[in-house]
Amino acid sequence: MNTGKRLVQYALIYKKTLIAALLMLTVAVGAELTGPIIAKKMIDDHIIGIEKPWYETETAGKDSVSYKGRLYKREDRFNKGEEKGSEVRILQTELNYYFIPEPVEGDGERKAKDGKFYITSREGEASYPAEKLSKDELLEFYKPEVNGIITLMALYLGLLVLASFFNYGQRFFLQVTSNRIIQKMRLDIFGHIQRLPINYFDNLPAGKVVARVTNDTEAIKELYVAVLATFFTSAIYITGIFIALFLLEMKLALICLVILPILVLWTITYRKFSSAYNEKIRTLVSDLNAMINESIQGMTIIQAFRRQKETTKEFEQLNEAHFHYQNKLLSINSLLSHNMVGFIRNLAFVALIWYFGGASITPGSMVSLGVLYAFVDYLNRLFQPISGIVNQFAQLEQARVASNRVFSLLDEKGIDVEEANNWRYKGNVVFDQVSFGYTEDHDVLKNIDFEAKQGETVALVGHTGSGKSSIMNLLFRFYDARTGKITIDGVDIKDLSRQEVRNYMGIVLQDPFLFSGSIASNVSLENEDISREQIEKALKDVGAENLLNNLPNGFDEPVIEKGSTLSSGQRQLISFARALAYNPAILILDEATASIDTETETVIQEALEVLKKGRTTFIIAHRLSTIKNADQILVLERGEVVEKGSHDDLMKLEGKYFQMYKLQHGKQTTGSSLAG
């Protein structure tokens, strides 16, 4: 499905408010576009309508005018069958009006002199007897028009008020709808991120993901708020204006229709040149976000190793590239926006002058001043929506590119979140000839085979890259084994949902991750099933009470920026309490004591014993002294289990484990080597 259809689908989720907004917009546009028609009627029927033929009448009334003892009425005010007297005319030249007591043929250049009114046309000059009207006499002839003018003005004012009300309504509903759409889209993206497999984030910087959730969706928001409103408003305006133009003068309306294919070609040309630049700009924005995020996360290292200038230089290169492509896009926008609109507007007015100029010198084709006014008004109004559309081209293209990036993220294959059943496994874990690689051509685990029974402690030791963490990744089903089988209580974990596998697992990392909130909320992770009493008991059971009691707010102390205001020991104890509160059947300790000071390590070791009690525990450790009491130790090298047994058994073998242990205690045997 293409991007446009997907954007429409999101809009249709809130179609009721969207349709309401568009209906209100239609009413508002219709009310506004009635203005020139009303103005035309006011000009032709009332203001210059005085120049229509008048006839003498015997009937006095609101439409009759008294002039020098006689009554006159305009020809369009006579009732059907009413008798008409002799015809007279009232014509204007310069700023004066003249009473002509006989019919007038044709029209042309006018002038008045010595009691005569002269009209010069292509056929020649005609003269008529004329009497100049005084101000009061002229007002008498305009009196019948006053009510009509007031009625039309009141109607116009009412329509303007109506248009203002509906314009407010449509903008309000469009804004609400747009915000709802983006709210739904961001929720979908964030929810989808939770479903993405861990390997998706292996090669994608966090800053780029953040850019798609925030920057790109904000660009899409402008599509619905500004672009959609402008395009719909403009489409309705243009449609209404062309309907009015056709009603006024069909030939000129047909000439003006040429503007529409020009606008389409214009759009195609703009997209052709701007698309690549917008794509590059959005990519560079993501790169900038990624670099900023990385720099903030690594600010300690940057400053410690005096890399400020180099980091700034790298940022400057990205920023300069962004500036370069923005300038290219700006050039296109400048060329294809106001300049082009102005050019087409001038062409349209040339056509208007040519058409009406020709009509004015063609016998029988004289156009009224009201029609001319309405055409000029409508042409001016026509280019307002066109200008609005053109000005939104850049925003439209940015939103389209941003939409492609957002939808490409949503199209990544995710893992459905399923409700875990209430089955609590005991924790008997078996790895049966398991092999695995992060890439197809390289296995990091080869034929891993071991069994961990309920309540046992299994330690994984080996050099960096030997496969210790990969085993835990497979157990958690962050990845699936390429060959072999992993079972919990005899059930293949591939036959269980990931939620069922992880439902009774807990993990404590070497560098525990704390979320913004409080110490208590970091223990429960906002799980409603974990009560306040359970939170406090877990913290006390792992010995955190003594380390945390000096904080001003105790267990409600705020946690900011991954717990940067807490010591490493405090953070580790909170992560222990978190694991204990969730009461796992299987516990993974990944270098949990590697970065703890000696004094705090005693507290941590006591907390470990509380945590391990009755649980199947896997410990990844470099400090071999911390795993002497493990029931089973697996020695890994290059993805294979090279030794397996208890501490005493492995020491008797005098193999790899023996060498590692002696090396750590300063008693490396002659010829021992840790290479391999």
Side-chain angles (χ1 to χ4, degrees):
M1 187 182 298
N2 64 34
T3 302
K5 287 183 178 179
R6 296 179 76 165
L7 289 171
V8 170
Q9 281 188 341
Y10 267 100
L12 290 179
I13 296 174
Y14 304 98
K15 57 180 176 290
K16 289 183 179 179
T17 51
L18 188 61
I19 291 171
L22 296 180
L23 287 175
M24 295 184 84
L25 175 60
T26 305
V27 174
V29 171
E32 285 184 23
L33 292 181
T34 309
I37 298 292
I38 294 174
K40 171 196 171 297
K41 186 172 180 62
M42 194 182 298
I43 293 170
D44 286 347
D45 292 354
H46 299 290
I47 296 175
I48 65 171
I50 195 174
E51 293 196 352
K52 291 182 178 181
W54 292 74
Y55 292 90
E56 194 172 342
T57 180
E58 299 294 333
T59 307
K62 63 177 183 178
D63 292 327
S64 60
V65 177
S66 176
Y67 178 70
K68 292 188 176 180
R70 295 184 179 183
L71 295 175
Y72 297 95
K73 189 187 290 188
R74 217 170 74 181
E75 67 171 349
D76 54 344
R77 304 291 166 78
F78 278 85
N79 296 321
K80 189 175 182 181
E82 187 178 351
E83 188 177 348
K84 297 178 181 178
S86 59
E87 180 182 345
V88 299
R89 296 291 295 273
I90 296 170
L91 299 180
Q92 179 191 15
T93 180
E94 297 179 346
L95 298 178
N96 300 311
Y97 283 84
Y98 292 84
F99 180 88
I100 300 173
E102 60 184 65
V104 174
E105 298 294 333
D107 201 0
E109 185 182 350
R110 302 174 180 182
K111 66 179 179 178
K113 185 178 180 182
D114 301 329
K116 291 286 187 180
F117 197 91
Y118 299 94
I119 298 177
T120 305
S121 64
R122 295 175 68 181
E123 283 75 26
E125 184 180 78
S127 65
Y128 304 92
E131 298 173 10
K132 183 178 178 181
L133 295 175
S134 67
K135 183 178 179 181
D136 292 336
E137 289 171 336
L138 179 62
L139 287 175
E140 280 294 320
F141 279 99
Y142 266 115
K143 274 184 180 179
E145 314 303 322
V146 171
N147 289 336
I149 291 174
I150 291 174
T151 301
L152 289 174
M153 288 177 66
L155 176 61
Y156 189 36
L157 180 61
L159 288 172
L160 287 178
V161 172
L162 183 71
S164 298
F165 173 78
F166 279 97
N167 264 324
Y168 166 78
Q170 64 91 4
R171 286 175 184 169
F172 176 79
F173 279 118
L174 264 181
Q175 290 276 0
V176 169
T177 304
S178 302
N179 288 332
R180 284 289 186 192
I181 291 169
I182 297 305
Q183 181 187 37
K184 176 73 168 64
M185 187 176 290
R186 281 181 175 155
L187 188 62
D188 288 349
I189 298 169
F190 192 78
H192 189 67
I193 289 173
Q194 314 302 312
R195 296 174 58 246
L196 291 175
I198 297 298
N199 59 0
Y200 177 80
F201 302 98
D202 289 345
N203 301 310
L204 188 68
K208 291 194 174 186
V209 179
V210 172
R212 296 193 187 187
V213 180
T214 54
N215 296 22
D216 289 339
T217 53
E218 195 64 28
I220 298 172
K221 177 185 174 183
E222 290 305 311
L223 169 70
Y224 289 111
V225 172
V227 179
L228 180 68
T230 301
F231 274 62
F232 268 107
T233 305
S234 300
I236 294 172
Y237 258 102
I238 291 171
T239 303
I241 288 170
F242 271 108
I243 290 172
L245 290 178
F246 272 102
L247 291 174
L248 288 170
E249 185 64 44
M250 185 173 292
K251 290 181 181 179
L252 187 57
L254 287 171
I255 294 172
C256 291
L257 275 178
V258 177
I259 294 171
L260 297 183
I262 291 175
L263 192 60
V264 172
L265 290 172
W266 192 348
T267 306
I268 293 170
T269 303
Y270 178 84
R271 288 191 61 183
K272 179 181 178 182
F273 287 101
S274 67
S275 181
Y277 293 144
N278 272 300
E279 185 71 49
K280 189 68 178 176
I281 288 168
R282 301 308 301 180
T283 302
L284 285 167
V285 168
S286 290
D287 292 342
L288 286 167
N289 273 326
M291 185 173 182
I292 292 169
N293 182 68
E294 185 180 67
S295 298
I296 292 172
Q297 296 292 332
M299 190 57 68
T300 305
I301 301 300
I302 291 171
Q303 294 189 6
F305 286 90
R306 302 176 301 282
R307 297 287 299 172
Q308 293 97 322
K309 288 184 179 179
E310 289 78 5
T311 305
T312 303
K313 187 176 180 181
E314 290 175 18
F315 182 82
E316 186 179 350
Q317 289 173 349
L318 282 176
N319 205 23
E320 180 64 31
H322 181 265
F323 174 77
H324 172 73
Y325 284 103
Q326 282 282 22
N327 272 355
K328 285 185 174 292
L329 191 60
L330 182 62
S331 299
I332 293 173
N333 291 338
S334 299
L335 178 65
L336 295 176
S337 57
H338 295 291
N339 289 337
M340 193 67 75
V341 172
F343 176 71
I344 296 175
R345 181 192 287 115
N346 291 336
L347 285 181
F349 277 108
V350 167
L352 178 72
I353 294 168
W354 168 78
Y355 183 83
F356 281 115
S360 67
I361 60 174
T362 303
S365 301
M366 190 64 185
V367 294
S368 72
L369 183 61
V371 172
L372 180 61
Y373 168 82
F375 244 98
V376 171
D377 195 335
Y378 278 129
L379 274 181
N380 273 323
R381 290 171 183 253
L382 177 62
F383 283 96
Q384 289 174 9
I386 289 176
S387 181
I389 290 174
V390 171
N391 290 338
Q392 291 299 328
F393 277 170
Q395 191 66 55
L396 173 64
E397 202 56 32
Q398 288 176 23
R400 188 190 66 80
V401 172
S403 301
N404 287 337
R405 290 161 53 81
V406 167
F407 290 135
S408 68
L409 175 60
L410 287 173
D411 287 338
E412 290 291 336
K413 188 175 180 181
I415 301 165
D416 291 332
V417 178
E418 302 173 12
E419 288 294 329
N421 59 33
N422 293 324
W423 172 61
R424 179 183 174 90
Y425 46 73
K426 296 178 181 178
N428 297 300
V429 177
V430 175
F431 273 63
D432 184 9
Q433 297 297 311
V434 172
S435 295
F436 165 74
Y438 294 100
T439 58
E440 293 184 2
D441 57 347
H442 177 66
D443 281 347
V444 294
L445 295 177
K446 303 165 189 173
N447 301 318
I448 301 298
D449 193 82
F450 68 88
E451 179 179 1
K453 296 179 181 178
Q454 179 188 5
E456 282 189 349
T457 297
V458 177
L460 305 175
V461 300
H463 300 295
T464 300
S466 59
K468 304 184 296 297
S469 296
S470 296
I471 289 176
M472 296 302 98
N473 285 339
L474 293 181
L475 184 58
F476 261 101
R477 280 204 74 189
F478 291 143
Y479 304 88
D480 283 327
R482 184 174 58 79
T483 61
K485 183 168 66 172
I486 303 170
T487 63
I488 299 177
D489 291 358
V491 180
D492 192 333
I493 63 173
K494 289 184 179 180
D495 296 332
L496 302 171
S497 71
R498 284 170 169 78
Q499 283 65 45
E500 287 174 320
V501 171
R502 299 166 190 165
N503 203 28
Y504 295 105
M505 281 190 187
I507 188 168
V508 178
L509 300 171
Q510 176 181 347
D511 185 15
F513 193 95
L514 300 185
F515 297 90
S516 296
S518 65
I519 290 172
S521 70
N522 268 282
V523 173
S524 66
L525 295 179
E526 306 295 348
N527 188 337
E528 295 178 357
D529 295 331
I530 300 176
S531 66
R532 176 71 182 196
E533 291 73 21
Q534 289 174 293
I535 294 171
E536 293 181 359
K537 185 177 185 305
L539 285 163
K540 290 173 182 176
D541 287 348
V542 299
E545 189 174 24
N546 293 330
L547 279 176
L548 300 174
N549 61 6
N550 61 334
L551 298 175
N553 299 301
F555 296 154
D556 292 312
E557 181 72 15
V559 174
I560 57 173
E561 194 60 36
K562 298 190 295 184
S564 58
T565 57
L566 301 172
S567 69
S568 58
Q570 289 172 326
R571 293 197 300 270
Q572 195 64 281
L573 285 174
I574 292 169
S575 70
F576 280 4
R578 177 194 295 166
L580 186 60
Y582 273 79
N583 190 25
I586 298 173
L587 178 66
I588 290 93
L589 304 174
D590 188 354
E591 299 288 348
T593 61
S595 58
I596 306 298
D597 59 84
T598 306
E599 183 179 348
T600 307
E601 186 178 358
T602 305
V603 179
I604 296 292
Q605 289 295 347
E606 292 174 0
L608 278 174
E609 294 305 315
V610 173
L611 271 176
K612 287 161 43 178
K613 190 173 182 180
R615 297 180 172 89
T616 305
T617 305
F618 292 89
I619 300 176
I620 298 175
H622 283 132
R623 290 189 191 178
L624 302 186
S625 59
T626 63
I627 59 168
K628 289 173 65 176
N629 297 325
D631 299 294
Q632 187 178 177
I633 299 172
L634 305 179
V635 182
L636 292 160
E637 184 174 346
R638 295 181 181 177
E640 295 181 278
V641 178
V642 294
E643 292 178 6
K644 181 172 22 175
S646 66
H647 172 77
D648 293 337
D649 293 339
L650 294 177
M651 290 299 288
K652 291 176 183 177
L653 284 176
E654 296 190 3
K656 290 288 182 184
Y657 181 82
F658 176 80
Q659 295 173 12
M660 293 168 67
Y661 189 84
K662 291 299 183 183
L663 179 61
Q664 286 193 8
H665 287 75
K667 298 178 181 178
Q668 184 178 3
T669 55
T670 305
S672 67
S673 172
L674 294 179

